Amino acid sequence: KGLWSAVSALKLDALYDATVTPPIDSGPETNMLTLARGLPCDIHIHFERILPTDIPKEEQEFALWLYHRWSVKEERLDRFLIEREMLVHGEEEKTLRIHPSKASSKVMYGAIVWYFFCAFVFTIVTLRNGWYRLFFGWTFTFSGLMALLGAVLHAVHFKKSTHGR
């Protein structure tokens, strides 16, 4: 319902449908961390530009259209697992080689340093001012959210994904 609301309310030039998958037999692990560190890796991406005139306006028609889009994505991923290509229904392949910037690793490390700096300052300020309930409440809440996030990601990615490793 959120996507339908956004698409129907916004004046879009186009909507882009992207299907992303790492290669089956990739050497270095292909993930966001590898890219953020600026290391080269292979990743397969299929983009499709959808014009606003091709998107149904009614909510029920949009739901059926979106279900069809997901079934095409599944077909694309199934084909990739078998034939190592994501093209379906006579599409053309275009190859584009993208090299991650060496500065991307600096940005990632900078973000990590900034996070720990903010956590350190928060700890100092809360403990110096005697705001122990705030400090421990934040610590337990953050730890609980991280544990919950880990459990959800594990359940979704490793147990329910038909295309995960």
Side-chain angles (χ1 to χ4, degrees):
K1 192 157 187 149
L3 181 62
W4 176 77
S5 298
V7 168
S8 61
L10 298 174
K11 304 290 184 210
L12 301 174
D13 294 340
L15 182 69
Y16 290 90
D17 183 358
T19 305
V20 181
T21 184
I24 304 300
D25 51 359
S26 63
E29 188 65 30
T30 302
N31 55 36
M32 292 304 291
L33 182 59
T34 305
L35 293 173
R37 289 176 37 209
L39 300 175
C41 60
D42 289 335
I43 192 163
H44 298 268
I45 305 172
H46 179 272
F47 283 105
E48 186 174 348
R49 185 173 194 257
I50 303 166
L51 297 174
T53 55
D54 297 335
I55 301 171
K57 304 294 184 229
E58 298 299 320
E59 188 174 0
Q60 294 300 325
E61 292 174 19
F62 182 81
L64 292 172
W65 175 82
L66 190 59
Y67 180 79
H68 174 71
R69 301 290 315 166
W70 280 107
S71 65
V72 170
K73 279 182 174 295
E74 285 295 321
E75 182 182 347
R76 209 178 291 290
L77 291 170
D78 289 339
R79 182 177 173 112
F80 182 78
L81 287 173
I82 296 167
E83 300 177 23
R84 305 294 195 258
E85 68 176 41
M86 286 197 281
L87 305 177
V88 293
H89 309 300
E91 297 171 323
E92 291 183 32
E93 181 176 1
K94 297 177 185 172
T95 302
L96 176 64
R97 190 158 292 280
I98 301 172
H99 300 282
S101 169
K102 298 211 185 290
S104 60
S105 63
K106 293 177 185 172
V107 170
M108 181 193 69
Y109 292 129
I112 292 170
V113 168
W114 178 251
Y115 169 78
F116 282 111
F117 172 75
C118 290
F120 177 74
V121 169
F122 176 80
T123 302
I124 297 298
V125 168
T126 54
L127 294 179
R128 277 195 177 169
N129 289 315
W131 299 332
Y132 302 115
R133 289 179 59 191
L134 175 63
F135 174 74
F136 290 115
W138 172 81
T139 302
F140 289 126
T141 302
F142 181 76
S143 301
L145 286 175
M146 289 298 106
L148 180 64
L149 177 64
V152 168
L153 285 176
H154 183 268
V156 170
H157 181 70
F158 293 109
K159 293 186 179 174
K160 293 186 179 177
S161 173
T162 59
H163 301 289
R165 293 183 185 174

